[in-house]
Amino acid sequence: MDQSHLYQQIVESIRDDILSGIIKPGSSLPPMRKMTEQWGCTTGTIMRAYQELAHQGLVVSHVGKGTKVVEQIPEQTQNPMRRAALFNRMEAFLLEIMTAGYSPDEVEQSLRVALDRWRTFSSQPEETPPNILRFVGSHDPSLALIASQYHENNPKLSLHLSFTGSLGGLIALAEKKADLAGCHLWDENTDTYNEPFIRKLLPGQKVAMLTLAHRRVGLILPEGNPLGIKSLKDLTKSDVRFANRQQGSGTRVWLDAQLRSLKINPASISGYDEEKMTHSEVARAISKGQANAGIGVETAALSFGLDFKPLTTERYDLVIPSEKWESASVQALKKWLSAKQTKSAINNLGGYDTAQTGTVTWVS
């Protein structure tokens, strides 16, 4: 191999190991003699690689003491290189799992579910730069897609997600700990979504409801529905183990209203008190055999190859205070959400109706 190209490979390999933490700060790099054996090259090639790493601020060399990784990587060096290291590790991971037979669609779907799980437990910083939108609220599987593609189309803007449930999102807005909230709270007295709750929790405030989508909600069941579950009444059967959503989530609000209407005592449903923070967590529990019925959106069932029994279609809105509405980040989100390609991407997840995606209703 051309030695001039080889030294660049050596630099990239060592740099990735430093930025990913495999090679720790302050540790020594291997002696040049050992590196020449490992890479099958001359001492001059290794020396050139070490010199380049030193130029990038990643290592320091001392006569008689060898070459060591710096204790603190310069910020201007760390950020782009850290991303490059992550990209390289992701490519290696993708090569491994796709060689095992998984398709790109399966990988992408699984990655979104895994990200949802981590975002459930993430916290929102109270103060953030103006280019970051703080989202707090109800979980929806499309949000991981929206966050990534929104940033891809607007590189200077990003959407920070934290899933707490619909009520938690509105409370975060009231406490100024969020810029927008995800909400799908059904009011049984008016048979409407979100507006009655916004008026109660954000009284006197002018608020925009930017519709994300309408989505199908129902029973998530094991493949083939072996217990033959057809309705909420079947949840009281002795052999059914239920996976519920947490209190304050829009799904739980709707479910509890239906149980009252059907005069079903929640205590008669095994697993009713076992709460999951996201639709993905419900589907995951069923796929692992920890439950054999759950309540959630169709998209989550499709992600895990499970059966689905639709029960209702609900409206999911992004709730945005008027003082945030005119910001560049929100207007970019609205424009992007209204685009045909965005609606198509959401529809492709399954279980969505995007006819009203991007429309705005004001509450004051």
Side-chain angles (χ1 to χ4, degrees), residues 34 66 72 141 145 181 183 188 199-201 251 261 267 301 340 344 351:
K34 184 175 181 179
Q72 181 65 46
L145 170 70
C183 192
E188 56 185 312
R199 293 187 184 280
K200 291 176 184 177
L201 292 170
T251 304
S261 176
K340 289 183 178 179
S344 177

Side-chain angles (χ1 to χ4, degrees), residues 136-147:
V136 180
S138 177
H139 172 251
D140 185 87
S142 72
L143 285 168
L145 170 70
I146 290 171

Side-chain angles (χ1 to χ4, degrees), residues 211-233:
T211 299
L212 175 67
H214 285 71
R215 59 186 196 176
R216 288 188 288 275
V217 175
L219 293 171
I220 300 176
L221 307 163
E223 186 178 8
N225 189 13
L227 297 181
I229 296 173
K230 298 179 180 180
S231 68
L232 293 176
K233 293 181 179 180

Side-chain angles (χ1 to χ4, degrees), residues 72-278:
Q72 181 65 46
I73 298 172
E75 185 175 351
Q76 67 271 21
T77 301
Q78 185 177 13
N79 291 338
M81 290 187 176
R82 187 169 176 269
R83 289 181 178 272
L86 175 62
F87 179 78
N88 290 337
R89 295 182 76 180
M90 286 297 297
E91 280 203 321
F93 168 71
L94 288 173
L95 178 62
E96 178 185 348
I97 59 177
M98 292 181 72
T99 301
Y102 292 99
S103 70
D105 287 343
E106 288 177 308
V107 174
E108 184 177 0
Q109 204 168 53
S110 296
L111 180 59
R112 287 200 199 103
V113 172
L115 285 172
D116 280 349
R117 179 174 173 81
W118 283 103
R119 285 175 173 133
T120 301
F121 305 107
S122 69
S123 60
Q124 292 280 3
E126 293 192 9
E127 295 185 7
T128 53
N131 63 318
I132 296 178
L133 278 176
R134 299 172 299 166
F135 168 96
V136 180
S138 177
H139 172 251
D140 185 87
S142 72
L143 285 168
L145 170 70
I146 290 171
S148 62
Q149 292 198 357
Y150 170 67
H151 176 70
E152 184 177 324
N153 285 272
N154 304 275
K156 295 183 179 180
L157 305 175
S158 62
L159 188 62
H160 187 136
L161 304 178
S162 181
F163 301 130
T164 63
S166 292
L167 283 175
L170 293 181
I171 291 171
L173 283 183
E175 295 177 345
K176 307 298 183 182
K177 294 180 179 179
D179 301 311
L180 69 162
C183 192
H184 60 103
L185 289 165
W186 178 69
D187 180 61
E188 56 185 312
N189 295 321
T190 61
D191 192 24
T192 60
Y193 277 90
N194 300 329
E195 185 172 341
F197 295 89
I198 292 172
R199 293 187 184 280
K200 291 176 184 177
L201 292 170
L202 302 168
Q205 294 192 40
K206 187 177 181 181
V207 175
M209 296 191 301
L210 175 63
T211 299
L212 175 67
H214 285 71
R215 59 186 196 176
R216 288 188 288 275
V217 175
L219 293 171
I220 300 176
L221 307 163
E223 186 178 8
N225 189 13
L227 297 181
I229 296 173
K230 298 179 180 180
S231 68
L232 293 176
K233 293 181 179 180
D234 292 331
L235 298 180
T236 61
K237 293 180 178 180
S238 60
D239 51 355
V240 172
R241 184 73 180 178
F242 187 61
N244 206 352
R245 289 297 310 282
Q246 83 279 16
Q247 294 186 40
S249 68
T251 304
R252 177 68 172 269
V253 170
W254 180 86
L255 172 66
D256 287 348
Q258 302 310 307
L259 295 181
R260 287 193 296 271
S261 176
L262 295 169
K263 294 181 170 53
I264 297 175
N265 185 350
S268 66
I269 301 175
S270 177
Y272 175 85
D273 294 327
E274 295 185 10
E275 300 179 343
K276 307 297 181 184
M277 291 294 292
T278 68

